[in-house]
Amino acid sequence: MSDNSLRLVWIYPDLLSTYGDQGNALVVERRARQRRLDVQRLDVRSDQQIPTSGDIYLIGGGEDRPQRLAAERLRRDGGLNRAVANGAIVFSVCAGYQILGHEFINDLGEREQGLGLLDVVSTRGEGERCVGDVLADIDPELNLPPLTGFENHQGVTHLGQTARPFAKVRFGKGNGVGDGYEGAWNDTVFGTYMHGPVMARNPHIADLLIKLALDVNALPPVNDHWYEALRQERIAAATQPA
Amino acid sequence: MAGNTDPLSPRAKLAVTAGRAAAAASRAVGRGSGSVIGGKVALRLDPDLLARLAQHLDVVLVSATNGKTTTTRLIAEALRASGPVVSNALGANMPAGITSALAGGSDAKYGVIEVDEKYLAGVARDVTPKAIALLNLSRDQLDRAAETRMLAEKWREGLAGSKALVVANADDPLIVWAASSSANVVWVAAGQEWKDDAWSCPSCGGVMQRPGDDWFCGECGFRRPTPSWALSGDHVLDPHGSAWPIKLQLPGRANKANATTSAAVAAAFGVPPQVALERMYEVQAVAGRYDVVSFMDRELRLLLAKNPAGWLETFSLIDPPPTPVILSVNARGADGTDTSWLWDVDYTRLAGHPIFVIGDRKLDLAVRLEVAGLDFQVCENVDEAVRKAPPGRIEVIANYTAFQDLRRRVGN
Ligand SMILES: [Zn+2]
């Protein structure tokens, strides 16, 4: 991270941009610019190399086959692992979250190797698909207000020793294991099942990533009026199911 | 062929009568047009009814993510040049609604039928269509519908044995993938503004290359077929290279594309492009869409946009700034309950328009527009939005149930 510029990398929009998660890139970009940072956003297609010099990498959800293709190409590329080794921050959603783990079940029903950046293993749930509004409490260490999001997944994710639960669910399913956990994180790598997109409903997560990238403890405030209004509405919706 | 020489069997006749009675009862108690309820009763009495009703008709099926209701209407108008048509003009596009529509057309020569994407393969099996028009496939209602490529795959399997003439959009790789299992395809260059669901080769998963209007997969050789019909500006180019002017009352590039496909279908039934296109001019609005209504002494144009591809096509047809725009989004069952798709729509295209936001999910839209850096006002309802809108005709863009709410309120 050099002085006032922030390099934001959006991974594989051709494969993993099916559920509106590019909104996360838009929110991070917008909130960084509102803090007068010079943002360089790089959308990297799956036939291009992943740059290793990014500050923040975002990876979204997608359908089962594109998920397998993305995992194959990211493994072959190796750039994301190198970037993380250099201290880069990664935030991943749904299919992207599973790819960051050790393995997941692909569209052919086989175990597919992930990138091993998060100590998690994903399988396919036997029960009903998890769909709906979620309310959860984020790991207190991250010092963030409650998490609101929309989940839509069949996957179930088990956390290993070095992955911490990103949040504890109050309403909704989250990782789907039954332990009430949602998402996972370690020092600089985050994973969640939340769409919405998650940053639109939780702009403080976008700010957290920016702070980690800048290595600062605080950012100048911005006007959060509409975000807050949306948060209140969705939190109410999650707690009063139809 | 067609004609009505084969009478319906007594059982089928009974089913049609029972269905009509149920529809009438449904209308009488004020539960909508009654077409779906009538069809359900009829199907329960005779599961083969759909096939039986269709065997007297030359059937055209129309399916797509966007534009199927309009295209069904355009094809129906064009074919009326050659004989009576029965059609599910109000968009009841699942088997029960289709059955109900066909039951109402005992004198028809043609059945022009809009089919929900998920039911196309099954309906195509039941009704032995003469022609099938396939327009586009893109993401839509993701929390409940099948994945887009899986849908194309199902079409591909379902159409493999069909003898129908398939009239398909050569510019949509998913449509080409779905149609190319058919023996008999007419390719139409109908264009495709939305490209974000076809960057990945449906055949091998390779990255699609899309130079200009062309597309191909660099890995397996799957590529755009050579079209025999094309939309070129305001004209339809037929297979002989003749250009026929499109004069539609319906606005926008997407409807010119729909007219081009419709002309190609009509030609397959012997209706020349000139005749077909002239008849299409008569269509003013389709199930309320594109309708201009008066409300609170203002003119409102009602536009339906259900998914990212639909919003993109709609932005390209609205009047330029400073025309005021009202946006309304709901997320009820029929809309899909996830609003994440709003972030796949490029709202910066509305820059310069005064924007007013309404609907159940106005706050999702407000955050979306705030992040896009646009000025907007959130209003309680359409009345307040219209009151606040600066002078001029107002463009109102709404998704499915928001559009229905709107039509109820503005009296259309
Ligand atoms: Zn290919």
Side-chain angles (χ1 to χ4, degrees), chain B residues 80-354:
Chain B
R80 283 199 176 100
S82 163
V85 172
V86 61
S87 180
N88 51 345
L90 294 176
N93 62 13
M94 297 188 207
I98 294 169
T99 303
S100 173
L102 289 185
S106 54
D107 302 325
K109 178 180 179 193
Y110 299 107
V112 182
I113 302 298
E114 167 187 340
V115 190
D116 180 276
E117 304 91 281
K118 291 185 289 303
Y119 293 93
L120 177 67
V123 172
R125 221 168 18 246
D126 288 346
V127 305
T128 331
K130 281 283 190 302
I132 304 175
L134 304 177
L135 314 177
N136 54 68
L137 275 176
S138 68
R139 61 190 68 177
D140 186 43
Q141 301 174 25
L142 282 165
D143 61 325
R144 63 189 201 103
E147 295 182 356
T148 312
R149 184 187 160 276
M150 291 297 287
L151 211 50
E153 188 74 42
K154 268 196 198 131
W155 284 14
R156 186 178 168 82
E157 287 163 11
L159 300 182
S162 170
K163 292 196 175 66
L165 177 73
V166 175
V167 180
N169 185 0
D171 291 320
D172 184 336
L174 282 168
I175 288 291
V176 173
W177 173 247
S180 50
S181 68
S182 307
N184 198 0
V185 188
V186 169
W187 298 112
V188 180
Q192 187 198 31
E193 197 171 343
W194 172 263
K195 296 186 168 31
D196 287 354
D197 285 303
W199 285 109
S200 181
C201 173
S203 176
C204 79
V207 178
M208 207 69 96
Q209 309 298 321
R210 306 192 76 151
D213 292 335
D214 197 12
W215 57 261
F216 59 90
C217 169
E219 287 174 40
C220 75
F222 178 60
R223 58 164 49 247
R224 180 177 184 263
T226 307
S228 49
W229 292 75
L231 167 63
S232 173
D234 292 327
H235 289 79
V236 171
L237 301 182
D238 75 13
H240 311 291
S242 305
W244 305 98
I246 301 172
K247 294 187 197 122
L248 283 178
Q249 297 193 60
L250 302 177
R253 191 214 67 85
N255 283 323
K256 293 191 177 99
N258 295 337
T260 305
T261 301
S262 301
V265 170
F269 293 92
V271 177
Q274 190 178 0
V275 175
L277 288 164
E278 272 167 17
R279 297 189 70 91
M280 291 179 213
Y281 178 78
E282 301 304 318
V283 180
Q284 281 183 335
V286 180
R289 301 154 202 196
Y290 313 110
D291 225 355
V292 177
V293 300
S294 271
F295 179 66
M296 294 169 60
D297 295 326
R298 300 289 298 269
E299 274 199 346
L300 275 59
R301 179 160 63 166
L302 308 183
L303 301 164
L304 173 72
K306 291 187 285 192
N307 47 50
W311 282 81
L312 197 63
E313 293 282 9
T314 303
F315 291 162
S316 70
L317 67 78
I318 60 175
D319 290 341
T323 300
V325 177
I326 298 174
L327 307 176
S328 184
V329 169
N330 289 351
R332 300 178 198 159
D335 305 305
T337 51
D338 183 7
T339 53
S340 302
W341 60 267
L342 289 171
W343 296 78
D344 290 327
V345 179
D346 182 11
Y347 286 97
T348 60
R349 301 248 319 243
L350 294 179
H353 291 277

